[in-house]
Amino acid sequence: MNAEKLLIIVPAFNEEAAVGHVVREIREVTPGVPVLVIDDCSTDQTAAVARAAGAKVMSLPHHLGLGGAVQAGYKLAFELGYQYVIRVDGDGQHDPRYITAIFEALRNSGCQMVIGSRFLEGKFDQATLVRALGIRFFRLVLRPILGRPVHDPTSGFVGVNRDALQVFSRSFPLEYPEIEALVVLQRRKFRFLEVPCRMRRRMAGRSTITVFKSLYYIVHVLLGVFVNVLKYERKRRRG
Amino acid sequence: MQALLDFTTGISVVLILMVLVSIRRQHIRVEYSVTWFGAALTLLLLSRSPGAVSKLAGALNISDPPLALVSIAGCLFLLVLFRLSVILSNLKDANIALAQRVAILEYHLSAHEEETARS
């Protein structure tokens, strides 16, 4: 892999128990590729652990949430001239062994975004029932908007090239960014590709997703998707 | 009707005084007080003009003038809240952009310091 072209970003918030292992795994799989941990103002030792594991760390001055942290990484990568950026979450759910497949797909397909997909072969065994239902629902919603099926629209294990990087450094959804980001790219006639990958359980800590948060997620994302669709439809009509 | 008008006058006067005191103590910026002033003054004027309230109720096809006054007050406060939501959203966007810029600059700075220390 060309270290001059690829940057791996790891957004992390209070992940001291997992982030060190994640960074070491990434460095084993992709030697020479810089790893940037974006510390979203953690209250634990996330930044120190990541540094000790060999990552560069960018610390946000206050907690921005996942979208804000990822966008900060995209902005820095764009400024530093990187051609490709792959996001790997700091909780250890994304298996770094699939980074190579995502990077190769990014380089060879000409697509602006490559998604590491858990469900490309139709298996939902890694998801809980609620999550599987949610993913099926968003697949149905996104199918006519994107004009093609997407198997794992909520996956955060994604790689982007410089064209997408430019778009995302200007405009990126701040809460629950994955689905809206797909719509943003599609409206700009960018293409995406899915490659199969496996995801693991979080290495430490507990997921904070509750029933109320799931409902909020659905309403929030639906609203974001339709606002994006309407916004670009209006731009398109205006020419 | 008169009791409601007097109550609305009282609320409007209290609101105007609160905004004035807040501006003086720099708890609220002048540009964000304008909508509150507008809403409070409108309510004050309406509450001191029962004829205008009746006319407005007729125009809105509301049979009960006090109900019209309460509805107008509700709409005014909804507008104020909406404007505040817009301001809040803009401030949040600006704040996020600023925080990201600070983080990026700090990153560049520490990278530069590391390079300088090495050389």
Side-chain angles (χ1 to χ4, degrees):
Chain A
M1 274 189 226
N2 190 337
E4 292 300 308
K5 287 185 172 178
L6 173 65
L7 174 71
I8 292 166
I9 60 170
V10 183
F13 175 63
N14 287 348
E15 297 286 2
E16 66 177 2
V19 76
H21 185 72
V22 171
V23 171
R24 280 188 293 275
E25 266 192 306
I26 295 171
R27 297 185 72 210
E28 272 172 35
V29 175
T30 58
V33 175
V35 181
L36 174 74
V37 171
I38 303 135
D39 174 31
D40 196 6
C41 204
S42 299
T43 51
D44 63 6
Q45 295 300 308
T46 296
V49 171
R51 263 192 209 100
K56 295 178 178 191
V57 176
M58 175 166 68
S59 294
L60 293 168
H62 62 85
H63 184 61
L64 295 186
L66 179 63
V70 172
Q71 192 189 29
Y74 284 155
K75 282 182 175 177
L76 180 66
F78 188 73
E79 280 186 23
L80 293 175
Y82 285 99
Q83 295 296 316
Y84 305 99
V85 173
I86 295 176
R87 171 187 148 195
V88 179
D89 282 353
D91 58 10
Q93 289 191 69
H94 299 159
D95 188 337
R97 283 176 298 176
Y98 293 92
I99 289 174
T100 314
I102 292 175
F103 182 56
E104 290 305 320
L106 260 180
R107 271 206 322 192
N108 302 328
S109 66
C111 289
Q112 283 78 13
M113 181 191 246
V114 172
I115 303 168
S117 172
R118 288 160 284 190
F119 314 120
L120 205 54
E121 284 134 14
K123 290 178 187 169
F124 270 86
D125 54 343
Q126 286 170 290
T128 60
L129 178 69
V130 177
R131 181 171 269 248
L133 284 173
I135 290 167
R136 281 184 195 278
F137 171 71
F138 279 113
R139 277 179 176 183
L140 285 173
V141 171
L142 289 171
R143 174 76 179 82
I145 295 170
L146 301 177
R148 54 165 293 190
V150 55
H151 294 84
D152 195 358
T154 61
S155 169
F157 197 7
V158 293
V160 293
N161 74 1
R162 194 160 173 80
D163 294 335
L165 208 53
Q166 186 176 22
V167 171
F168 287 155
S169 35
R170 282 201 307 260
S171 157
F172 193 68
L174 294 171
E175 268 190 291
Y176 317 120
E178 293 84 10
I179 293 177
E180 273 185 68
L182 269 173
V183 178
V184 169
L185 285 187
Q186 195 277 336
R187 295 288 122 179
R188 287 178 163 81
K189 308 289 177 208
F190 285 2
R191 291 180 301 131
F192 71 90
L193 178 76
E194 288 181 275
V195 296
C197 76
R198 286 185 69 83
M199 290 199 194
R200 309 177 292 202
R201 299 206 178 278
R202 346 173 18 101
M203 285 178 179
R206 286 174 60 189
S207 170
T208 55
I209 296 169
T210 60
V211 175
F212 178 74
K213 280 186 180 174
S214 302
L215 288 173
Y216 176 74
Y217 173 87
I218 290 172
V219 175
H220 187 293
V221 172
L222 275 180
L223 203 59
V225 166
F226 288 115
V227 165
N228 271 300
V229 169
L230 292 175
K231 193 164 73 178
Y232 289 106
E233 197 57 32
R234 212 173 56 184
K235 273 186 187 171
R236 190 182 64 80
R237 280 191 195 144
R238 282 181 187 163
Chain B
M1 170 79 169
Q2 192 54 48
L4 179 71
L5 290 176
D6 291 342
F7 178 73
T8 311
T9 304
I11 291 284
S12 311
V13 170
V14 168
L15 192 58
I16 290 171
L17 287 175
M18 271 172 61
V19 173
L20 282 174
V21 169
S22 299
I23 294 174
R24 193 171 157 270
R25 291 182 179 172
Q26 295 184 325
H27 291 164
I28 183 172
R29 292 182 66 87
V30 177
E31 58 266 38
Y32 301 134
S33 67
V34 176
T35 32
W36 283 116
F37 266 125
L41 277 175
T42 309
L43 282 181
L44 184 63
L45 290 173
L46 282 176
S47 65
R48 290 298 89 199
S49 331
V53 175
S54 298
K55 275 186 189 171
L56 266 173
L60 295 169
N61 211 12
I62 299 173
S63 55
D64 191 18
L67 184 62
L69 183 63
V70 171
S71 304
I72 291 165
C75 288
L76 280 173
F77 288 120
L78 276 181
L79 282 175
V80 172
L81 286 177
F82 180 74
R83 184 166 182 268
L84 289 180
S85 293
V86 171
I87 291 167
L88 204 63
S89 300
N90 288 337
L91 285 176
K92 185 171 180 183
D93 284 347
N95 182 273
I96 287 170
L98 204 60
Q100 289 173 334
R101 179 64 15 214
V102 168
I104 290 170
L105 288 176
E106 278 183 350
Y107 178 87
H108 286 314
L109 194 65
S110 61
H112 180 71
E113 280 172 356
E114 271 174 34
E115 254 178 48
T116 312
R118 255 185 262 139
S119 61

